[in-house]
């Protein structure tokens, strides 16, 4: 297949279609609007449905309804819109409805600086909705990876019946690159889970399979499915029981924790001789990579670690990294969010420092390089 000049947001839409998404509900908001525009263009061509809702809350609600009816679904927004979606993201977690939410991050809080790049929604992705819940969040750093990780997000949502957040940022969303997309037969698709027993055999919608994920029937297929945001037992009906509450919350976490080693993806470069490491993600990782190359050209033994999976966090990998190197620099386009997780996982094994920026401009390689040199000097 020949290469195409493609924007990151466009690649998300293309990836969603390739993954089998056939329903999009959304509301325009920069810097994510191109995703909605592309889905409006592409979905009718494959028999799908696009609907612009009256607001972000309705957008989240409508995709959950479509998912319960058997469609693979997607919505896209940015920080203020993601804030509005949080109650229903929690509902999707509790009711185990597969859904993918794309967050093309911009400067906040509130309406902040529209279309200005930021990575300030790291903690929102994990803890934006209330209560104990499980979630998956992954972050691309290129246009092609935006395509690939959209497919992976849809597959994870379907496999684990969990909301998945594609944690984009404005840098990647509006980046344009020549991209060669894979052929249809090269793309791995996870199908919608289906009940393994009939109603007559005692089907219960929230009875977990061997991987702790329930095989909930789609609405309209002849099964009786009760859906509630209240804590419920395997029948789907609410139960005011301490044991059911404990079992339900534990299972929602363990279905992700059991597969964490498979879900968590990290790219590591120049680590064989590394005495220091730069940890970054998303669009900032592109600049951090250049800074690492410049540092090595100056004789500094610096490695590069890019977190592709943001949640669940790569605790084991960071713990191992901290035992290998003398210092870690975390570069992120915010006041400091990911750095706390790195410090927690490092557990004092090495010095962890923050290189932050939050003035609505992107990092320059020289800025991260200067922080690398400061880290090296401080350790020595």
């Amino acid at each position: 297949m020949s290469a195409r000049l493609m924007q990151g947001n466009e690649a998300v839409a293309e990836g969603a279609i390739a993954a089998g998404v056939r329903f999009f509900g959304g509301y325009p908001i920069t810097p994510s609007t191109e995703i909605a525009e592309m889905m409006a263009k592409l979905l009718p061509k494959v028999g799908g449905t696009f609907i612009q809702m009256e607001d972000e809350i309705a957008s989240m609600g409508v995709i959950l309804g479509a998912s319960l009816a058997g469609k693979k679904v997607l919505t896209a927004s940015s920080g203020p819109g993601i804030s509005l979606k949080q109650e229903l993201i929690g509902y999707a977690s509790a009711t185990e409805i597969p859904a993918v939410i794309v967050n093309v991050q911009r400067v906040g809080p509130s309406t902040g600086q529209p279309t200005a790049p930021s990575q300030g929604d790291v903690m929102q992705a994990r803890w934006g909705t209330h209560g104990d819940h499980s979630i998956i969040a992954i972050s691309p750093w290129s246009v092609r990876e935006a395509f690939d990780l959209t497919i992976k997000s849809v597959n994870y949502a379907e496999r684990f019946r969990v909301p998945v957040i594609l944690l984009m940022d404005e840098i990647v969303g509006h980046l344009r690159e020549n991209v060669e997309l894979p052929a249809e037969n090269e793309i791995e698709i996870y199908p919608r889970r289906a009940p393994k027993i009939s109603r007559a055999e005692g089907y219960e919608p929230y009875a977990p399979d061997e991987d702790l994920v329930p095989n909930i029937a789609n609405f309209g297929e002849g099964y009786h499915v009760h859906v509630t945001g209240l804590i419920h037992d395997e029948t789907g009906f609410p139960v005011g029981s301490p044991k059911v509450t404990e079992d339900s919350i534990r299972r929602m976490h363990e279905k992700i924790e059991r597969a964490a080693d498979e879900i968590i993806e990290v790219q590591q470069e120049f680590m064989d001789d590394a005495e220091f490491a730069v940890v970054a993600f998303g669009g900032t990782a592109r600049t951090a990579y250049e800074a690492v190359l410049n540092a090595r050209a100056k004789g500094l033994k610096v490695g590069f670690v890019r977190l592709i999976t943001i949640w669940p966090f790569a605790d084991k990998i960071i713990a191992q990294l901290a035992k290998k190197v003398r210092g870690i620099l975390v570069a992120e386009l915010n006041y400091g969010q990911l750095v706390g997780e790195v410090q927690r996982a490092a557990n004092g094994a090495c010095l962890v420092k923050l290189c932050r920026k939050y003035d609505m401009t992107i990092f320059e390689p020289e800025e991260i390089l200067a922080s690398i040199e400061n880290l090296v000097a401080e350790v020595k």
Side-chain angles (χ1 to χ4, degrees), residues 19-340:
V21 169
R22 293 297 179 265
F23 189 94
F24 180 97
Y27 188 81
I29 179 172
T30 59
S32 75
T33 301
E34 294 89 352
I35 298 174
E37 291 172 345
M38 284 300 301
M39 294 301 283
K41 177 181 177 181
L42 296 175
L43 275 169
K45 297 179 181 180
V46 293
T49 300
F50 170 91
I51 183 168
Q52 180 175 316
M53 298 301 291
E54 65 270 26
D55 57 35
E56 297 281 8
I57 300 171
S59 300
M60 191 67 203
V62 76
I63 69 164
L64 296 186
S67 183
L68 284 170
K71 299 297 182 183
K72 293 184 178 183
V73 300
L74 184 87
T75 190
S77 190
S78 190
I82 300 295
S83 294
L84 291 169
K85 295 179 187 294
Q86 288 298 338
E87 182 180 359
L88 283 169
I89 291 174
Y91 183 82
S93 298
T95 54
E96 298 178 81
I97 303 173
V100 176
I101 304 102
V102 185
N103 180 1
V104 188
Q105 298 167 91
R106 74 188 205 188
V107 174
S110 190
T111 41
Q113 293 282 12
T115 317
S118 176
Q119 295 177 312
D121 301 348
V122 173
M123 287 299 167
Q124 184 199 45
R126 179 65 187 93
W127 301 112
T129 192
H130 60 280
D132 289 315
H133 63 284
S134 58
I135 207 158
I136 297 172
I138 53 182
S139 181
W141 79 331
S142 69
V143 175
R144 171 59 195 265
E145 199 170 67
F147 176 88
D148 293 336
L149 292 190
T150 301
I151 294 172
K152 184 160 286 188
S153 295
V154 176
N155 285 344
Y156 282 159
E158 296 294 330
R159 176 179 169 186
F160 298 107
R161 293 199 68 105
V162 67
V164 176
I165 295 177
L166 185 65
L167 197 60
M168 298 268 286
D169 52 55
E170 188 278 337
I171 300 167
V172 177
H174 286 159
L175 177 69
R176 295 183 187 274
E177 292 180 314
N178 279 319
V179 177
E180 187 170 327
L181 300 181
E184 186 176 338
N185 60 6
E186 298 174 328
I187 298 172
E188 186 175 334
I189 303 298
Y190 195 93
R192 174 58 59 94
R193 301 175 74 112
K196 293 183 177 179
I197 60 175
S198 67
R199 290 179 63 186
E201 294 171 306
Y203 168 74
E204 293 182 326
Y206 285 92
D209 212 335
E210 292 84 356
D211 59 359
L212 300 183
V213 183
N215 298 308
I216 304 172
N218 299 324
F219 281 20
E221 293 181 346
Y223 288 83
H224 185 191
V225 180
H226 187 272
V227 179
T228 176
L230 294 166
I231 297 295
H232 46 268
D233 62 12
E234 295 180 357
T235 68
F237 284 87
V239 176
S241 157
K243 184 179 186 308
V244 169
T245 302
E246 181 182 18
D247 290 346
S248 178
I249 292 173
R250 185 196 313 112
R251 182 181 62 77
M252 284 192 289
H253 283 78
E254 287 186 356
K255 70 180 182 181
I256 304 300
E257 292 168 359
R258 280 191 181 186
D261 288 344
E262 178 186 351
I263 296 170
I264 294 169
E265 290 186 73
V266 173
Q267 177 189 357
Q268 301 191 53
E269 305 286 348
F270 317 117
M271 288 305 302
D272 290 343
D273 65 345
E275 296 179 0
F276 301 88
V278 176
V279 174
F281 72 99
T284 294
R286 299 172 71 97
T287 312
Y289 185 85
E290 181 71 19
V292 168
L293 289 178
N294 294 343
R296 293 186 71 85
K298 298 178 76 169
L300 301 177
K301 294 181 178 179
V302 183
F304 171 77
V305 178
R306 178 171 69 95
L307 300 182
I308 300 170
T309 306
I310 308 301
W311 304 110
F313 192 71
D315 290 278
K316 293 180 183 178
I317 294 170
I318 295 299
Q320 293 167 0
L321 174 68
K323 292 175 183 177
K324 172 180 172 57
V325 300
R326 301 168 65 190
I328 297 172
L329 180 71
V330 181
E332 50 184 325
L333 210 60
N334 57 47
Y335 200 77
Q337 296 189 23
L338 195 72
V339 65

